[in-house]
Amino acid sequence: MVSPSLTESVQETVTPQGAVVLSEFLPHVASAAIGVWVARGSRHEIAGEAGMTHFLEHMVFKGTARRSARQIAEELDAVGGIIDAGTSREHTNFYARVLAEHLPLACDMLCDMLLHSTFRDEDVRLEQGVVLDEIRAYEDEPGEVVMEQLMETLFGRDPIARPVLGDKEVIRGTGHDVVRGYRDRYYSSDRILISAAGQVDHAQLVELMGPLLGGLPRTALPANAPAPQARSRFRVTIREQEQAHLTLAAPALPFGHPDRFVLAALNNVLGGSASSRLFQEVREQRGLAYGAASWAEAYRDVGLVGVHTAMDPAKFREAAAVVGDILRDLAGGGVTDQEALRAREQMKAGLFLGLESTYNRMARLATSKLYLGEVTPLKVVMRMVEEITPERVRELARRLLAPERFAVAVLGPGSPEDYRVDWVTVPAFAAV
């Protein structure tokens, strides 16, 4: 068997204005992925701005002085490319994937959209309706609703718990001048990171992105706010629907923590794969729910590990008891050597499979630089994965998975009494 290569060709440029450009040349591919990452997410919004980061992400696709919204869509479609964007709690990412020969077009379009969007009043009005419909669509999805409630239950009123999509009233009150002002205020050169991977020449990339690199002012970045304080709470929300949703989360590790790969392995053991405890016990062995999964999220200063499952309300108490039993067993040292080593191998395979995507490699460059201040070499990443041992996984499980550390949010029909969870010891409250 041929071992995948971990050899990298990564280059970096920092402009006098403070913007960062990263690229990784991949000789074996015919395409390129490029992303413009802005260090502005929903957690950075202040009162009256909730949803503006996401709304601005939408608005840059509505037309520039040179291109209409239709032209933005058609020009990349015409060469088989993809252009899109996404907003998270800590970043906004505008990206394109194209054949390498069309990289100049993708770069020109990204620069044009971010620098020269017109934000016409009629486009703002149209997009208000689109975003409001997007919010309503989320509100119609019980799984999305309960996840937002879980963040609020865990972190209270801290901005990190706010929905990325924002507040309807803020969106309704948005106008041309508000959108432009938001872009001008927060899209500065020292908040910009450009990353690319594939058939990319670094010097050409810097030249192609020159309009953006030189077209934004530099501002003094504000000091980071204090880290969110997590809490254990139990929240029940009654809503008429077919299933009951059980979610829970506990504070975990921030992005740069040295045990972050150990947490990824622990997550695989808990509920991150088909062989995990949650999936096997809740679905395969007992048939209590269609799915049961866990996840781990990491931010600049805080992280969380969470669980979600949904079932017939009549099965809720049994399912909740099984989840509690799994947490207690793992927190008590019950992670087996076989489980930990299997999780480590899953991570290694996932790493190599992910590296076959130019988008994933582009995103890896960006997130590593944004959170760690440098691009961690793949050989170092692989060494950190290889150093995961069963005892390290067990020790982290002891630290993180005790049931009393978890905040719990439940969404379902009936009455709050239907959703008593025996292992929850914190005060409960119900919401309409």
Side-chain angles (χ1 to χ4, degrees):
M1 176 180 175
V2 178
S3 297
S5 174
L6 295 178
T7 302
E8 296 175 276
S9 179
V10 177
Q11 293 183 266
E12 177 179 345
T13 296
V14 180
T15 72
Q17 294 80 19
V20 176
V21 184
L22 294 165
S23 71
E24 181 179 11
F25 176 69
L26 303 173
H28 56 283
V29 302
S31 64
I34 178 170
V36 178
W37 299 73
V38 184
R40 182 75 183 176
S42 59
R43 75 173 294 189
H44 304 120
E45 296 166 344
I46 60 176
E49 291 180 345
M52 284 303 304
T53 309
H54 172 253
F55 191 77
L56 176 58
E57 174 226 307
H58 275 239
M59 284 304 304
V60 301
F61 286 85
K62 299 303 291 182
T64 72
R66 294 166 44 203
R67 294 178 170 95
S68 66
R70 188 181 187 89
Q71 286 173 315
I72 290 173
E74 289 180 344
E75 285 188 34
L76 263 293
D77 280 354
V79 297
I82 297 170
I83 189 165
D84 208 340
T87 303
S88 71
R89 299 185 193 275
E90 295 190 313
H91 300 100
T92 310
N93 174 24
F94 304 88
Y95 63 91
R97 296 174 59 198
V98 291
L99 293 176
E101 64 194 88
H102 301 303
L103 183 61
L105 172 62
C107 291
D108 178 69
M109 186 169 291
L110 287 169
C111 290
D112 190 27
M113 291 164 59
L114 292 172
L115 288 173
H116 305 301
S117 287
T118 53
F119 306 129
R120 298 185 308 165
D121 283 329
E122 53 266 44
D123 292 330
V124 171
R125 287 194 295 271
L126 284 173
E127 207 60 24
Q128 282 172 325
V130 171
V131 172
L132 289 171
D133 278 343
E134 185 178 3
I135 294 174
R136 295 184 190 104
Y138 270 74
E139 291 173 343
D140 283 342
E141 290 291 336
E144 301 291 347
V145 172
V146 76
M147 287 295 186
E148 296 294 352
Q149 292 179 345
L150 178 64
M151 288 294 288
E152 184 178 295
T153 306
L154 182 63
F155 292 116
R157 296 185 179 275
D158 190 276
I160 201 168
R162 294 175 183 156
V164 172
L165 297 184
D167 182 86
K168 290 178 183 176
E169 293 308 309
V170 172
I171 302 305
R172 290 190 181 103
T174 296
H176 162 93
D177 55 339
V178 176
V179 179
R180 181 175 295 279
Y182 193 84
R183 193 274 312 272
D184 293 345
R185 198 158 53 246
Y186 297 119
Y187 276 42
S188 56
S189 61
D190 43 351
R191 285 186 172 94
I192 296 292
L193 185 148
I194 297 166
S195 62
Q199 278 283 348
V200 178
D201 177 87
H202 186 78
Q204 183 193 33
L205 176 66
V206 173
E207 180 180 357
L208 290 171
M209 297 303 293
L212 182 63
L213 295 171
L216 293 173
R218 179 170 186 157
T219 60
L221 291 175
N224 289 326
Q229 297 300 304
R231 60 184 185 171
S232 296
R233 291 292 297 273
F234 180 39
R235 172 175 179 166
V236 178
T237 302
I238 299 304
R239 178 168 125 165
E240 290 309 310
Q241 56 192 42
E242 291 298 319
Q243 288 190 305
H245 287 253
L246 170 65
T247 60
L248 48 146
L253 309 178
F255 193 96
H257 196 283
D259 285 338
R260 62 189 182 276
F261 294 107
V262 183
L263 176 57
L266 175 59
N267 179 59
N268 276 349
V269 172
L270 174 60
S273 68
S275 61
S276 68
R277 291 282 188 97
L278 283 169
F279 191 86
Q280 286 297 311
E281 287 291 323
V282 174
R283 171 174 165 156
E284 296 299 288
Q285 300 300 318
R286 301 171 188 263
L288 295 173
Y290 175 72
S294 67
W295 75 96
E297 289 182 41
Y299 301 105
R300 171 182 55 80
D301 50 7
V302 72
L304 61 88
V305 58
V307 171
H308 173 256
T309 185
M311 73 297 294
D312 184 321
K315 299 178 180 178
F316 178 86
R317 291 190 180 179
E318 183 180 357
V322 171
V323 171
D325 288 344
I326 290 171
L327 292 176
R328 274 190 294 267
D329 182 63
L330 295 179
V335 177
T336 68
D337 288 4
Q338 182 184 21
E339 286 176 317
L341 296 175
R342 182 172 63 231
R344 188 178 70 188
E345 292 306 305
Q346 289 172 336
M347 291 177 60
K348 288 166 62 176
L351 172 65
F352 285 123
L353 290 172
L355 292 175
E356 295 181 0
S357 161
T358 55
Y359 177 85
N360 287 346
R361 295 188 81 128
M362 176 273 288
R364 190 190 85 84
L365 297 181
T367 54
S368 184
K369 181 69 176 180
L370 287 166
Y371 283 106
L372 305 176
E374 62 181 7
V375 178
T376 306
L378 286 170
K379 290 181 179 179
V380 174
V381 172
M382 182 54 67
R383 185 176 71 242
M384 294 175 75
V385 173
E386 292 282 7
E387 290 173 350
I388 296 171
T389 64
E391 186 50 44
R392 290 183 71 191
V393 179
R394 281 191 284 268
E395 175 56 29
L396 194 62
R398 294 186 190 103
R399 288 166 50 194
L400 299 184
L401 297 188
E404 60 268 20
R405 297 187 73 247
F406 283 80
V408 182
V410 177
L411 178 69
S415 67
E417 181 61 25
D418 298 329
Y419 301 110
R420 187 172 65 248
V421 179
D422 293 338
W423 48 266
V424 170
T425 58
V426 297
F429 66 100
V432 178

